[in-house]
Amino acid sequence: MQNADLSPQVQLPMVPLMIAPVFIVAFTGNRPKDLEGRRLADLEAARPRLQEAFERFQAKAAELGGVIHLFSSAAEGADAIACELAAEMGIPVHIILPFAEEQFREDFTEETWPRSQAIIERARRGENGGSLRTLSSSSPRNDAYAEANHLMLKWADAVIALTNGEETKLQGGASNLIAKAESIDTCCLSINTRALEDELEIRHFDQFSEAIDRHSGLSMLQRLKQWADKAPEPATSSGQVDFEQIHARLESSANFHKSQTSQGLQSALWLHGIASIIAGLGVSYALAGCPGYKWVLLVLSIVELGLIITAEWIHKKHHHNHHAEAWLFSRYAAELLRGAKIHVIHGDPLDPPIARQHPIWRRFHSTALLRHPQLAERSNREDLEAEKADYLRNRLQDQVDYFIAQRDLAQPKAQTLNRKIKALTYAAITTVSLAILYKLGHKLDFFSHHVPWLELFLYLLPIALPLLAGIYSALRISTDVARRAIRYDHMAELLNQATARVQTAPTSASLSETIMQTEEVLLEELNEFLLVHKVSLEH
């Protein structure tokens, strides 16, 4: 599939943190040859009803803080009318051609082609933030139209279909798309050209809102904003909301919540661990028969209770503030935006790689890409070597340096923790063995003299040393240093290999393919980061 050049003048309303989310409304209509010769005037009569539908979807999107974009073919008749109407209303129009433009033209007469050609040209220029996509299909004509409909349905939040009320068996027909939309629970508004006097049913627009609430990713956008509002304002804050400022806010949010998560997690681990050791000390003191053990047990129990209550208070506080969740998802969002320039130039802003991994992030990513200041570079790709150098310098090398630096930080920490765990494990084995020998000596009457302070340690250390080893093991898992020490070295190697593939790409198309494959590698690491920490930080 070829992606069109997109204009940088994408005018989207702004909210304090995030760009107004984009909602996709797909349009389909019976082509004239499917309408048994029905005159174009009959379709034109539906224009007011189409405008009302667009306005209502716009209003529902605005209630949710967003805007609508239109997906359609530029076929003669209903599609052309819908595209022209949307353009008049300021709605960005994204055209999907079922096959190459020269082949598409064969479905038109000399009189009707200029109208659709003008729509295609506006999309190619990216007017009002629109775009043009052409499917590379070798299928029969009707199947190619069905493939275009299938692609629209993949992205659609809602479908508007203009029909004559008659079902056709054509795969690319409007009735077929309506049936498929309804089967996957996509809001579908069908307008019958033979019943234009009927009022549009409110339920369709309510269904649109309900569907958006269920699986749109809007809740994630709202949470990202709430979490960012709790973080310190970035030092680079300019008071304006633009792409770079959004990225800076997310970075600040991620760093703030990570600090809170790390402090809370380590504090809770140590408090629980120390409380357990104190409990072991009290039991050991009593078993060793040390003087005043009842009072000692009472004091130590009070201290243990205080430590446990403090640990639980820290846990509740961080759970209530969602620090761990805020850190993970703010970091995830920030890293998605870090690679946004690459996805804008070399991929499809409305079909980012993240959509194939976590669909809930598609709206966040696509909306951000449509606003990216580098959008204009899609229409100015003339210097292949400059593109290569830019990607290698500003993306690949930056990521290689990052992974190497993080690996170099993680490796000594992992080694230190491993040494502590190993030393504590061996010490525990030794003390347990000594305790067994001491007890056997008394049991077998090799000696009968009791040494309370020695017994105290022989009871305590077999409890305390494994506990300390467990604490350090938990810290190793929660800080992810063991995985990062190995995984980040592997990532640096993969990216170094990608460097050679980028350098040898012979064309812009092959360069884009190579770059997007490399971006998939980075995305996989980001997904792995998210999953590993979600598991390790679960309460």
Side-chain angles (χ1 to χ4, degrees):
M1 183 173 70
Q2 295 179 337
N3 298 324
D5 307 326
L6 300 180
S7 164
Q9 287 81 33
V10 182
Q11 301 298 324
L12 297 178
M14 306 294 291
V15 293
L17 168 67
M18 197 53 237
I19 307 166
V22 171
F23 304 110
I24 304 299
V25 175
F27 177 85
T28 188
N30 292 116
R31 300 191 297 281
K33 65 180 182 181
D34 298 332
L35 293 171
E36 301 175 354
R38 181 173 291 275
R39 292 178 297 112
L40 186 60
D42 294 333
L43 295 176
E44 289 287 354
R47 182 183 286 262
R49 188 48 48 93
L50 278 178
Q51 180 172 348
E52 181 184 357
F54 285 152
E55 288 173 347
R56 289 199 178 185
F57 278 120
Q58 277 186 314
K60 283 294 181 181
E63 290 177 10
L64 298 167
V67 296
I68 65 170
H69 285 212
L70 179 70
F71 266 83
S72 181
S73 170
E76 178 186 352
D79 288 5
I81 293 170
C83 292
E84 290 172 345
L85 180 59
E88 292 169 8
M89 298 175 65
I91 299 171
V93 178
H94 305 279
I95 298 298
I96 299 179
L97 298 184
F99 23 66
E101 190 172 336
E102 296 77 13
Q103 188 179 359
F104 185 62
R105 182 174 181 173
E106 296 174 7
D107 283 348
F108 296 80
T109 65
E110 289 296 326
E111 293 75 22
T112 58
W113 170 245
R115 183 179 188 181
S116 290
Q117 185 181 31
I119 293 170
I120 294 170
E121 285 302 318
R122 286 196 294 270
R124 180 179 285 113
R125 293 193 301 271
E127 287 188 8
N128 193 36
S131 64
L132 174 66
R133 288 160 180 77
T134 302
L135 299 184
S136 301
S137 177
S138 57
S139 303
R141 301 188 75 81
N142 190 62
D143 288 348
Y145 277 102
E147 290 174 10
N149 284 347
H150 181 71
L151 187 59
M152 286 195 298
L153 199 56
K154 170 185 174 182
W155 293 325
D157 295 302
V159 174
I160 301 176
L162 189 62
T163 75
N164 62 354
E166 297 179 2
E167 291 191 12
T168 69
K169 296 183 179 180
L170 296 174
Q171 285 293 316
S175 58
N176 184 272
L177 181 61
I178 293 170
K180 289 182 177 179
E182 292 175 344
S183 70
I184 61 173
D185 199 27
T186 296
C187 173
C188 187
L189 173 65
S190 178
I191 300 176
N192 192 330
T193 56
R194 296 176 179 176
L196 294 177
E197 69 281 357
D198 295 343
E199 292 188 6
L200 298 182
E201 295 184 53
I202 300 297
R203 66 181 179 88
H204 293 290
F205 306 101
D206 291 338
Q207 287 172 359
F208 172 71
S209 297
E210 292 168 4
I212 294 298
D213 287 340
R214 283 198 303 272
H215 47 70
S216 73
L218 281 183
S219 60
M220 180 58 67
L221 293 181
Q222 294 164 354
R223 282 185 286 172
L224 285 171
K225 179 186 179 301
Q226 292 169 358
W227 294 329
D229 288 343
K230 296 178 182 179
E233 191 75 15
T236 57
S237 178
S238 62
Q240 298 179 344
V241 180
D242 56 23
F243 185 87
E244 294 300 328
Q245 188 63 17
I246 290 170
H247 186 257
R249 287 290 303 277
L250 289 170
E251 280 278 350
S252 175
S253 178
N255 292 336
F256 169 74
H257 291 290
K258 178 185 178 181
S259 173
Q260 297 297 310
T261 300
S262 179
Q263 292 174 11
L265 175 65
Q266 294 188 40
S267 298
L269 277 173
W270 279 110
L271 286 169
H272 278 298
I274 293 171
S276 299
I277 292 171
I278 286 175
L281 175 61
V283 172
S284 301
Y285 192 90
L287 290 174
C290 295
Y293 69 88
K294 290 186 178 180
W295 284 105
V296 171
L297 273 176
L298 176 61
V299 171
L300 292 180
S301 296
I302 293 172
V303 172
E304 179 191 0
L305 178 62
L307 292 173
I308 294 173
I309 290 174
T310 303
E312 184 62 17
W313 176 80
I314 292 174
H315 161 73
K316 291 294 185 183
K317 175 184 175 184
H318 284 260
H319 181 70
H320 176 75
N321 291 324
H322 301 282
H323 284 308
E325 187 181 15
W327 163 43
L328 295 179
F329 290 124
S330 295
R331 172 54 57 200
Y332 196 88
E335 292 305 315
L336 286 180
L337 295 195
R338 194 184 301 279
K341 175 183 175 182
I342 307 306
H343 299 163
V344 163
I345 299 173
H346 299 282
D348 187 341
L350 290 166
D351 189 24
I354 189 64
R356 297 186 286 279
Q357 306 274 349
H358 294 286
I360 198 170
W361 286 95
R362 176 184 64 83
R363 196 176 312 279
F364 167 82
H365 206 196
S366 294
T367 300
L369 295 182
L370 288 172
R371 184 70 180 188
H372 199 286
Q374 298 294 335
L375 211 55
E377 294 187 15
R378 291 176 65 89
S379 59
N380 184 29
R381 299 184 59 191
E382 299 176 354
D383 192 337
L384 178 62
E385 295 305 316
E387 282 190 62
K388 292 180 182 179
D390 179 69
Y391 183 69
L392 292 173
R393 180 179 59 255
N394 296 323
R395 179 62 168 164
L396 264 187
Q397 192 56 52
D398 175 70
Q399 289 297 298
V400 169
D401 292 344
Y402 168 79
F403 284 120
I404 290 176
Q406 291 299 311
R407 177 204 65 189
D408 292 344
L409 286 174
Q411 283 182 343
K413 291 180 180 179
Q415 291 168 358
T416 298
L417 286 171
N418 287 338
R419 284 196 298 267
K420 289 180 178 180
I421 293 168
K422 188 175 182 179
L424 288 166
T425 300
Y426 285 143
I429 292 172
T430 302
T431 56
V432 170
S433 299
L434 290 173
I436 290 173
L437 290 173
Y438 181 79
K439 293 170 184 175
L440 279 174
H442 280 283
K443 187 70 173 177
L444 300 175
D445 295 327
F446 289 140
F447 51 87
S448 58
H449 184 65
H450 287 273
V451 184
W453 297 110
L454 175 61
E455 291 184 4
L456 170 63
F457 285 103
L458 291 177
Y459 283 121
L460 175 62
L461 292 180
I463 298 172
L465 293 176
L467 276 171
L468 287 171
I471 292 172
Y472 283 118
S473 294
L475 289 172
R476 182 176 60 182
I477 293 171
S478 62
T479 56
D480 195 33
V481 290
R483 184 193 72 91
R484 286 188 286 126
I486 299 172
R487 175 63 167 160
Y488 285 6
D489 187 60
H490 180 57
M491 285 297 299
E493 181 182 349
L494 288 176
L495 296 182
N496 281 325
Q497 292 173 0
T499 298
R501 295 197 299 274
V502 170
Q503 290 171 333
T504 56
T507 64
S508 290
S510 60
L511 175 62
S512 290
E513 182 180 6
T514 302
I515 285 176
M516 292 310 294
Q517 288 173 349
T518 305
E519 291 298 308
E520 289 275 12
V521 172
L522 292 167
L523 182 57
E524 286 174 7
E525 161 54 27
L526 187 56
N527 289 332
E528 187 177 305
F529 154 83
L530 182 63
L531 292 174
V532 166
H533 281 87
K534 282 182 71 175
V535 171
S536 64
L537 294 175
E538 281 185 352
H539 297 297

